[in-house]
Amino acid sequence: PYQSGKTSLMEEMLHRCGAVQRPGSIQAGTTFGDPSPEARTHQMSVETNIARINFMDEDYVLLDCPGSVEFGADLDGPLSVCDMAVVVCEPDAKKLPQLQLLLARLEDRGIPRLLFLNKIDKAEEEVSEALGLLQRASRTPLVMRQIPIWKSGIAIGFVDLALERAHVFREHTASEIVAIPANELGRGKDARFSMLEKLADYDDRLMETLLSDLEPARDQVFDDLRREMREGLIVPVMMGSAARGNGALRLLKALRHDSPRMGETSVRVAAPVDAAIDIVRVINTTHGGRMAIARVMSGSLQEGAVLQRADGPQERLGQFSRIHGGRLDRIDRAEAGDLVAIGKIEHASAMERLAMRKADARAAPARSPAVTETALSARERKDEAKLSTILQRLVDEDRGLSVENRAETHQLVLQGQGEVHLKVTLARIARAGVAVTTVHPRINYVETIQASATQRGRHRKQSGGHGQFGDVVLEIAPRPRGSGFSFVDNITGGVVPRQYIPAVEEGVIEALKRGPLGFPVVDVEVRLTDGSFHPVDSSDQAFHTAGALGIREGLPNCRPVLLEPVLHVDIFVPNEATPRVNAIVTARRGQILGLEADPDREGFDIVRAEIPASDMRDLIIDIRSASSGVGTFTFRHDHMAELTGRLAEKIVGEQGRHAA
């Protein structure tokens, strides 16, 4: 979860492996990860950072992912290729819902994982109590591998339950191995037996050993820890303080011993036998063009290889490079397991699998639905084309973003996953050299009529030479809500020549674009019943104008009324937040339609409601505030509803001022 210390832990791991001289500080903006100005400004990860380390002659690639739900779309790529996950958390009840969602994503994908209980130096409660708290967030049993050694209320080290060895923390260096303190022997023995009992639930041989009051062999304990974690039967829990460098070395040793190898990962993700890559993300570079960060899931590849896509044109791969932060080291070949940057990727996007055979390729899943939006425009007309290019690039790189051109309101709308997500995106646009103006997107109000009227529309103009003459009689009537516009030709006897009738319809349609209240008019039937013409002065333009005049003069007599769009909204929140969410919906003129348990998220509810589009503004801020930062929603247009009273008067008045 957000601000649990992932980047700080990676800094310490880099330091221990000699990849950096000293751990950087998030507050000082000196970390290896989070190098972008936006990450530094918000002091949080806003995109996945990639680093390489070598520990005890084995190579590792670390992917430090954003913890904020607003940047959750960036997590999908790394999860699709990783061998295992280290979930950094803290014993904080407020962050349990975030932890639950993260663990559920890992559980659903079958990704082996362990928890690193961070900030143990600041813990205010017993770790056994913290474990009970954290277990509520995990469907899989948590197994403590360590317990802290306390002195004057401060964790000064830990007992390794598998090794039966005590360690005293030393800041940013290896801990000191000591004898288990006498006052910790009993607690350590009980904790070790509890760990063994949980392991024995999945190992009959270990269960027999425990029932016989025998001590299991140390190798058997480690084998069970490794196998059961890899099979997703348990989640080991380790601890430390990333800020002080405590626990990082033991974590590295656990990864070396327990993490799955590429062969196991290939089976889990159903990688094909022939060469294939899974794309983690796409980057548009200034000089290198469009580049893919991808993992080779099987086979061996080199520059120039041609891979198939599930849909669309094939890709010819450019040069390969290993990644370490912002550094790219070119390589000739990439083997199964390598995470590489691949140049000259023209078409494929993040989350795609490219393969030698089209049948083995996989298209990218749907993008994350947006929960907030802003309308934007370039401050200077000369920057409009550049803004369009920048937005296209940002949407290409970020699966949580989308852009929509709304013809009905003539606005360009940027959509994202939250307030900070949009702020970061706008900062990136500014850094790319385009100043923009942002406003709230306009609501697509329309108007309709409640009564019928008959109106003559006559256009007559004489100005030397041929004049202009068009004369029509229109019957204007309301239609059922949502049925749209209908034009009916009821002319008999040729009073309006047939060649002019299309022009009348065009004039009617033109006039309906702005009704008496200032908005487009919908759900109207117009019948052309009578009229007259002049053999010389009549023309298409004259009858076009006559049709428009008839509508403009007739609509005010039809009791026009304002309609506002109403959305169907499904809100997903932890069930303890449901009463607060119900109050939020009601306060926004919403109507609650129903409530049900979320079948995909244990302990979550789905609140189904209808909310006017004008009251959706900043809804995600209220929902996240009421739900420990994890609530979200989806929405779709449902219907248009009549709007009267002061709010309607205010909207009509604003529309009039806007038109003026």
Side-chain angles (χ1 to χ4, degrees), residues 93 129 184 188 194 260 269 302 319 396 408 495 507 530 585 627:
E129 296 177 8
E184 299 288 353
S194 176
V269 302
Q302 61 185 1
Q319 71 179 43
D396 188 30
E408 65 274 11
V495 292
D530 200 358
V585 170
S627 61

Side-chain angles (χ1 to χ4, degrees), residues 540-612:
D540 284 341
Q541 183 59 46
F543 274 98
H544 181 285
T545 304
L549 283 172
I551 291 297
R552 293 191 183 106
E553 294 173 1
L555 283 178
N557 303 320
C558 296
R559 290 170 44 207
V561 63
L562 190 65
L563 299 179
E564 65 173 343
V566 176
L567 309 180
H568 177 97
V569 186
D570 289 334
I571 306 172
F572 306 87
V573 290
N575 45 33
E576 64 266 19
T578 300
R580 295 190 290 274
V581 169
N582 289 342
I584 291 170
V585 170
T586 303
R588 289 171 174 264
R589 296 191 297 132
Q591 179 182 356
I592 296 172
L593 303 178
L595 170 68
E596 61 188 73
D598 188 339
D600 299 323
R601 301 176 180 89
E602 185 177 350
F604 273 63
D605 286 336
I606 305 176
V607 179
R608 304 194 189 279
E610 290 179 352
I611 304 176

Side-chain angles (χ1 to χ4, degrees), residues 18-30:
V20 297
Q21 189 172 9
R22 62 177 62 86
S25 163
I26 292 174
Q27 290 72 27
T30 57

Side-chain angles (χ1 to χ4, degrees), residues 454-455 472-476 487-492 495-496 526-531:
T454 299
Q455 181 67 45
V472 296
V473 176
L474 305 176
E475 290 182 359
I476 309 168
F487 181 82
V488 180
D489 171 16
N490 275 357
I491 290 296
T492 59
V495 292
V496 175
V526 177
R527 289 178 176 269
L528 175 59
T529 61
D530 200 358

